Amino acid sequence: MLLAGGFAAQHSRVAPDSDIGTLLLVASVVMLGCRYTRYPGCFLFGLGWFFLAAQAIVDHRLQPRFAGDSLLADVRIAEFPKKTGPSVSMIVEPLADHRLPKRSSVSWFEPPLEPELGDIWRLELRLKRPRGLSNPGVFDREAWLFRNRIHASGYVVGGKRNQRLQQGTESGVDAFRRRFVERAREAARSSETGAVLGAIGVGARHGIGREQWHRYAVTGTSHLMAISGLHIGLAASAAFLLARALLLFLPLIANTHIVAILAGVVCAGSYAAVSGMGVPAERAFVMLLIAAFFLCRRRNVRPLETLALAATVVYVLDPLAIMAPGFHLSFAAVLLLLWLTRLRRPPAGRRGFFARSAFVAAQLFSMQLFLLFGLMPLTVLFFQRIAILALPVNLLAVPLFSFVTVPLTLLGLLPLLGTSAPGSAALKIAAQSVDWLEALIAVAVALPATDIGVVSIEGSAWIMVLLPALFALLPRGWPGRYVAVLAIPVLISQAPERPAHGCMDTVVLDVGQGLATVVRTRNHTLVFDTGASYRGGGSVAAQVLIPFLESRGLRQIDWLVVSHADIDHSGGVVALADYADIGELLSGEPLPGTGRRATRCTAGQSWIADGVRFRVLHPPGASSPAGNDASCVVLADAGGHRLLLTGDIEAGAERRIVESHALGGIDAVVVPHHGSLTSSSAAFVDAVKPGIAIVSSGFANRWGLPKADVASRWRDVGAELVNTATSGAVSFRICRDGGMGPIRRDRYQRRRFWRDGAG
């Protein structure tokens, strides 16, 4: 009930006052004292505890008056910086500067020196309150910022004002971690192997790149990168056995068993602290601590009660932990393994080596099978993926890590062996075992049809998400147990509801300062613009557009229309071409650097898809405008109900379109040029008169778009003005028979009390 209260608070849309949270805690304590109100009291305690922790984070966020300003401040780098191409992202903490919050996430393009953990820098920062793009089926960065207690995000302004003031100011634990990461890199033959050693040794996962993470996700081996029960248990067991051996020579100690247990607990706790105390490590250490307490008191350890108590302790210590996928996966995995031990017993009367070996092999296979099916609902929910390769790959990877990689890495961690020849040799062998794992994973991911994604779950399909767990939860012989296996092909093949013939679904994605729109008919897909690309590498298409298409099961784009060559509209063409099969590419301007030749948009081009007619209104074929006025303008018509996509056209192009008499009866329009004063002329707005006018712009953008005069102009003709910056992605359906349906604002749908604005 305690965790249920935390889950309820996490999804609350109402912002509680801190006094209300305190009142809930007081009331819960009173209720816990009464037998009949104990369970409601636990629920209220969990509710109030999360509210107080969350509100403390919200209260410490960057003050609005400092948002967008250039702030020269002295900061300390609090975590390992992560390098991606020419850019570095890092977490910084201020040194006695009241303008900055406690923790900020900043990026730095081409720093003059490579920042390191513990460095003190004087940096010119431009920060904003923590806020992420809001799109359906896309990673929720804002939730990640919140649960990691990030109070501001931004970037370092390049220039000579940035200078490193001091090095090596990190704590002793962080200094130990940094030295181990350096030694791991030296022991490994590749940077990827060194990154894995750093992750399993001290929890430093900053060196693992996006592609490497993807390979581990596809093969179901991501759990090997998290310091969890395997690592903590090995550390505790080694310390226990070593202490027992040493205590044999110290007969003056009466109870050597208890001393050895305490030695194991201290060693495991030290290792958990060095690892960064992630949720799986914290869970494992708390369970070990509870088990050690009962063993020292000579009482039986009850695994289920221990697991429940550990979950309670983890939640009380860190209420936001329940938002992390690692919390759910870690506790669920242990629960499944405990259930497996009840279902499977060692064979009675067979004590031979081969019988025992066969039993161990069968247990390992059963364990991986149970975890595959038992955790499938969570992996689908959190990662939209079914890692079908997890079973065969983990049958080899888990023993390799358990008996070779992790023990040798732990040897390399020992202070006495760390810098010595034995410690270096242990790390080199551990690195070799990681190379073997990488080779195994490379073979596995090269197999056909192994990257199995699951599209967004809707309606009754949620039942299919839960069914695979029945295979693990129901005992052998129970009717319906193998229905769980049939749920897998259903999950893989299910797809979101498609619009009917004569209808089109439109999503104007939240891509910041840029534009990306997806229009779907019954069997066809049109993408209008792709969002921006970054000078440091990557693009909005890779972060938003492609994950959205994946969540809808779309890998075929029949028409990609890039309005013009401006980077905030064309920046994702290359990434999109790598992901999807593109039928026809249309553009108002040539697209240099994309490797593809586009057909020039010309007024009069048209095509029909599933009863919806698409027509290009601009640019005219007789002239070749450049820049914003070269933008393709596309009109989608479903039986007289219309959607107008405009790109960045300005007043001149608008005038030509009005003179063509192609407008009228527009249900929805994407406002030209993000609401700039150079566009949305009075004549154009009067001619369009839409029911809804959608602005695609960045939150608190430096140009102040959409301009107030432009917004008023659209509202004056009766249009409902919606801005993706405050509403998130905007979705709606237009049909030949029913006209335009209700709109969906993604930020409103995701509204929570801890988010920065509801939209």
Side-chain angles (χ1 to χ4, degrees), residues 432-659:
Q432 180 61 59
S433 68
V434 173
D435 289 337
W436 295 337
L437 173 67
E438 289 281 352
L440 172 64
I441 289 176
V443 171
V445 297
L447 297 174
T450 54
D451 189 1
I452 302 175
V454 178
V455 303
S456 294
I457 307 298
E458 298 176 353
S460 59
W462 281 107
I463 299 175
M464 293 298 166
V465 175
L466 300 175
L467 281 181
L470 294 180
F471 184 86
L473 298 179
L474 294 179
R476 284 183 174 182
W478 276 60
R481 182 171 183 252
Y482 288 94
V483 172
V485 180
L486 299 178
I488 297 179
V490 174
L491 279 174
I492 295 172
S493 60
Q494 70 96 26
E497 177 192 4
R498 295 183 296 171
H501 186 83
C503 295
M504 55 180 164
D505 284 350
T506 302
V507 182
V508 182
L509 293 167
D510 180 12
V511 294
Q513 194 62 33
L515 179 64
T517 303
V518 179
V519 181
R520 290 187 63 198
T521 63
R522 180 71 178 175
N523 298 302
H524 297 84
T525 302
L526 177 143
V527 173
F528 189 91
D529 284 340
T530 64
S533 60
Y534 307 123
R535 62 175 183 169
S539 64
V540 173
Q543 296 178 356
V544 175
L545 178 56
I546 291 173
F548 171 77
L549 294 173
E550 282 183 317
S551 73
R552 297 299 184 268
L554 300 175
R555 284 192 172 271
Q556 171 68 43
I557 298 174
D558 300 284
W559 299 277
L560 172 59
V561 181
V562 181
S563 61
H564 61 306
D566 280 5
I567 202 66
D568 58 330
H569 294 255
S570 64
V573 172
V574 174
L576 196 59
D578 290 340
Y579 164 77
D581 294 327
I582 298 175
E584 188 170 1
L585 174 60
L586 302 173
S587 179
E589 291 183 299
L591 302 173
T594 62
R596 291 193 54 135
R597 185 174 181 179
T599 301
R600 184 174 176 268
C601 289
T602 304
Q605 293 171 324
S606 66
W607 60 91
I608 296 176
D610 306 314
V612 178
R613 185 186 183 198
F614 295 87
R615 184 156 55 106
V616 178
L617 303 183
H618 183 82
S623 61
S624 300
N628 290 336
D629 271 349
S631 294
C632 300
V633 176
V634 175
L635 179 69
D637 189 331
H641 299 284
R642 298 174 168 185
L643 163 71
L644 185 63
L645 304 172
T646 60
D648 275 356
I649 56 170
E650 298 184 348
E654 291 176 349
R655 183 175 59 256
R656 286 191 289 271
I657 294 173
V658 171
E659 291 171 353

Side-chain angles (χ1 to χ4, degrees), residues 315-328:
Y315 175 72
V316 171
L317 293 176
D318 182 11
L320 271 62
I322 63 170
M323 297 181 65
F327 180 92
H328 303 267

Side-chain angles (χ1 to χ4, degrees), residues 149-173:
R149 291 176 168 80
I150 306 298
H151 305 100
S153 62
Y155 60 93
V156 178
V157 180
K160 296 182 179 180
R161 303 177 75 185
N162 303 311
Q163 53 182 310
R164 182 157 56 192
L165 303 178
Q166 195 174 348
Q167 288 182 279
T169 68
E170 70 270 32
S171 65
V173 171

Side-chain angles (χ1 to χ4, degrees), residues 720-735:
E720 178 184 1
L721 191 71
V722 182
N723 189 352
T724 59
T726 54
S727 296
V730 181
S731 312
F732 52 89
R733 175 173 289 181
I734 296 178
C735 285

Side-chain angles (χ1 to χ4, degrees), residues 283-334:
R283 185 267 308 159
F285 176 65
V286 171
M287 290 187 68
L288 176 66
L289 199 62
I290 296 169
F293 173 79
F294 282 107
L295 289 174
C296 290
R297 296 289 301 272
R298 301 185 184 279
R299 294 184 180 180
N300 291 331
V301 178
R302 298 179 178 179
L304 288 177
E305 287 83 348
T306 301
L307 184 66
L309 185 56
T312 302
V313 171
V314 171
Y315 175 72
V316 171
L317 293 176
D318 182 11
L320 271 62
I322 63 170
M323 297 181 65
F327 180 92
H328 303 267
L329 292 168
S330 178
F331 281 98
V334 175

Side-chain angles (χ1 to χ4, degrees), residues 137-139 376-387 451-457 462 547 550-551:
V138 178
F139 172 71
M376 195 175 294
L378 293 177
T379 57
V380 170
L381 176 64
F382 291 127
F383 309 117
Q384 296 78 49
R385 185 184 303 281
I386 296 178
D451 189 1
I452 302 175
V454 178
V455 303
S456 294
I457 307 298
W462 281 107
E550 282 183 317
S551 73

Side-chain angles (χ1 to χ4, degrees), residues 679-690:
S679 306
S680 298
S681 59
F684 181 76
V685 172
D686 288 339
V688 175
K689 287 186 180 177

